Amino acid sequence: VQQLVESGGGSVQAGGSLRLSCRIFGYTYMTYCMAWFRQAPGKEREGVAGISIGGGSPYYADSVKGRFTVSQDNAKNTLYLQMNSLKPEDTAMYYCAADWRYVCSSASWVHEYTNWGRGTQVTVSS
């Protein structure tokens, strides 16, 4: 069974930091895309950051470049999102997702990823 489990969300003041984790279970593909998405109330879901598991540089939405960093620990089958200099507009439910079908880039975010976690809430107060 393929499963993604996020953790690490919470509440923080503007300028603070959080690190999200996404543990993936049951994925046997040699290479696949993993990404972080977020959705704020009343807004569409948007891609935030992604990476190719198996090799490749990470990629980011313009709104988070320089503030967020995505990384992976292959030994732990875990994807991380380090979020620094958080802003109130970063407040959203954050989801990790995985899919083996796409070329891993921000262009893949327009497609519906196959596997999703349940999400973790990030709230940034001003």
Side-chain angles (χ1 to χ4, degrees):
V1 176
Q2 297 164 341
Q3 188 179 11
L4 283 69
V5 180
E6 302 102 332
S7 61
S11 297
V12 65
Q13 289 192 326
S17 299
L18 285 172
R19 188 177 79 156
L20 306 183
S21 300
C22 175
R23 181 102 186 260
I24 186 165
F25 300 88
Y27 240 70
T28 59
Y29 302 98
M30 293 297 293
T31 61
Y32 52 94
C33 307
M34 287 196 74
W36 289 97
F37 293 82
R38 67 185 182 187
Q39 188 166 20
K43 294 187 177 181
E44 292 188 354
R45 187 178 64 203
E46 61 175 349
V48 174
I51 195 167
S52 172
I53 304 300
S57 300
Y59 38 93
Y60 302 92
D62 289 342
S63 58
V64 306
K65 279 181 183 176
R67 300 188 297 123
F68 290 12
T69 303
V70 65
S71 62
Q72 57 182 339
D73 185 332
N74 291 331
K76 296 181 179 180
N77 293 326
T78 301
L79 185 74
Y80 300 100
L81 184 67
Q82 178 66 44
M83 305 185 294
N84 298 329
S85 302
L86 282 162
K87 305 175 181 180
E89 51 263 43
D90 294 317
T91 295
M93 184 71 80
Y94 283 70
Y95 302 88
C96 69
D99 205 297
W100 71 96
R101 298 173 294 171
Y102 308 129
V103 174
C104 299
S105 72
S106 58
S108 72
W109 294 342
V110 300
H111 302 297
E112 186 63 30
Y113 274 48
T114 298
N115 299 100
W116 291 84
R118 292 187 176 183
T120 185
Q121 178 68 38
V122 171
T123 303
V124 185
S125 59
S126 57

